[in-house]
Amino acid sequence: MAKATLVSLANSLGVSRQTISNAINAPERVKPATLARVRRAIDEAGYRPSAAARQLRTRRSMNLGIRMIPGADGINGSIYDRFLHSLAEAAQERGYRLTLFYAASDTDEIEQYGQLLDVADLDGFVLTGTHRDDERTAWLLEHGVPFATFGRPWSDDEDPFASAHAWVDVDGGAGTEEATRALMAQGHRSIGFLGWPAGSGVGDDRRAGWRRALAHGPLADGASRAAAAGLDIETEDGVTRGADGAARLAGAGATAIVCASDSLALGALAALRSRPAGAPPPAVVGFDDTPVAAAIGLSSVAQPIESVARQIIAVLTHGLAGKGGGTTPEPPRHVLLPAAFVERTPHALGTTPAAPSP
């Protein structure tokens, strides 16, 4: 069967080539009945418009850039992998491709922006890992480059919902708050937090959720008492750091521990399981609900990564298409999605199975 072309579609439907082009690129210009006929014919014929012709017409490369972030321990990095796959799928559905690039730092990333805009003629960028005083967003805004971020702007003075740029984020604080409340409902009254050093934005938000649950739950003023009792530990991310922090929290009397990441939680779980027999080890909750957490039965806070990716691509590509370009309503520019606490029963790993009965 001959490959469908714009001309062959127009001839078969008895419409002009411009009508076919408008149905694809400016559907608001086509009568609804005609638009339905054209779209049905396009689907049946498997027609795909020429990318080169579209680039000449729109003066867009249909490519978006994103920096590759290597996973520090192979655990939390799985979240970025999921995000990248979902982002590529969502972009492709809208006719875009992703250009991956490496940068060793934010300063290096900014240098890459300039080079990629000159050499690859990218249409825009997707940023991850937003933080306080983020120079990347400031540079892109100053140079008028379209972009959207996975992560809200972090500031003590400015409202993120008044931000000049588009962003999509997950309410991590609500997630740790839900997890802490679930632990209190189980009867825990000495709940520790194992998180990152203050100032990270994301980490502060997750710690704040734990504090809110303690302050407004059955444990009145529980956050301040927990801090005074040594139940609020700050440490860098990683399995080893999680093990060390969990030992300190258990020594301070914690019966449950909420962690800022699954890496910390996995270290905590391993350390607590190796403690001498006696009282049951503290319950542990992680964050990110990685495949490792699911495999070993670790309770964790899950992020809707696929929804994040789709929202980012929707708002970024809509802006690139131009206001008034099409009938699709403008998506929200600032989106805070809910996290979800996933409760599990830890598997009995490392135990000797019972001998089979004769």
Side-chain angles (χ1 to χ4, degrees):
M1 179 182 295
K3 182 179 179 181
T5 66
L6 185 146
V7 174
S8 66
L9 281 171
N11 291 338
S12 67
L13 293 172
V15 299
S16 69
R17 286 175 290 177
Q18 187 61 51
T19 298
I20 303 294
S21 179
N22 285 342
I24 297 170
N25 301 298
E28 73 281 0
R29 300 178 182 175
V30 184
K31 293 180 179 180
T34 303
L35 180 62
R37 287 179 58 221
V38 172
R39 285 178 169 172
R40 184 165 57 251
I42 287 174
D43 290 340
E44 292 173 353
Y47 172 68
R48 295 292 180 269
S50 165
R54 180 170 53 187
Q55 289 174 22
L56 287 172
R57 181 180 62 255
T58 64
R59 299 194 181 280
R60 297 202 304 269
S61 67
M62 308 303 290
N63 269 277
L64 305 172
I66 181 171
R67 172 186 174 185
M68 294 180 63
I69 306 293
D73 54 18
I75 298 172
N76 293 333
S78 65
I79 296 301
Y80 180 78
D81 290 344
R82 276 179 55 202
F83 173 67
L84 197 57
H85 280 83
S86 299
L87 197 73
E89 181 180 358
Q92 185 168 315
E93 289 175 356
R94 293 173 180 262
Y96 284 80
R97 296 291 186 270
L98 298 183
T99 295
L100 307 182
F101 64 93
Y102 171 77
S105 64
D106 284 1
T107 301
D108 187 19
E109 184 172 350
I110 292 172
E111 292 180 1
Q112 295 295 326
Y113 292 159
Q115 294 179 23
L116 289 166
L117 288 169
D118 290 340
V119 177
D121 194 27
L122 298 187
D123 292 334
F125 294 91
V126 175
L127 278 63
T128 61
T130 55
H131 53 80
R132 298 179 187 276
D133 302 319
D134 200 325
E135 296 181 353
R136 301 171 302 165
T137 58
W139 189 94
L140 291 168
L141 286 170
E142 180 182 350
H143 289 78
V145 179
F147 72 99
T149 67
F150 179 6
R152 74 200 88 162
W154 297 101
S155 172
D156 295 327
D157 305 319
E158 300 178 6
D159 180 4
F161 289 93
S163 169
H165 71 77
W167 58 264
V168 180
D169 203 0
V170 177
D171 194 346
T176 52
E177 181 176 1
E178 180 186 357
T180 305
R181 292 185 181 279
L183 291 170
M184 289 190 291
Q186 295 171 11
H188 293 282
R189 294 296 180 267
S190 184
I191 303 171
F193 187 82
L194 183 55
W196 307 318
S200 71
V202 174
D204 294 347
D205 184 51
R206 296 176 186 182
R207 176 176 275 106
W210 165 77
R211 287 176 173 165
R212 284 196 302 271
L214 295 184
H216 300 107
L219 311 179
D221 198 29
S224 59
R225 289 191 291 106
L231 294 179
D232 186 355
I233 301 292
E234 295 185 8
T235 184
E236 298 296 335
D237 203 27
V239 175
T240 301
R241 298 297 184 93
D244 294 340
R248 292 167 57 191
L249 288 169
T255 63
I257 301 172
V258 177
C259 301
S261 72
D262 277 356
S263 291
L264 290 171
L266 288 167
L269 202 62
L272 297 173
R273 282 178 168 176
S274 65
R275 289 169 61 86
V284 177
V285 174
F287 198 107
D288 276 335
D289 195 32
T290 58
V292 175
I296 68 172
L298 171 68
S299 296
S300 189
V301 177
Q303 301 192 68
I305 296 299
E306 291 76 13
S307 295
V308 171
R310 290 192 172 278
Q311 293 269 13
I312 286 176
I313 291 298
V315 69
L316 184 52
T317 57
H318 187 279
L320 288 168
K323 294 183 178 180
T327 58
T328 304
E330 181 178 4
R333 289 177 51 79
H334 308 127
V335 180
L336 189 61
L337 298 172
F341 174 53
V342 181
E343 187 174 358
R344 299 186 178 95
T345 300
H347 302 327
L349 303 177
T351 58
T352 303
S357 56

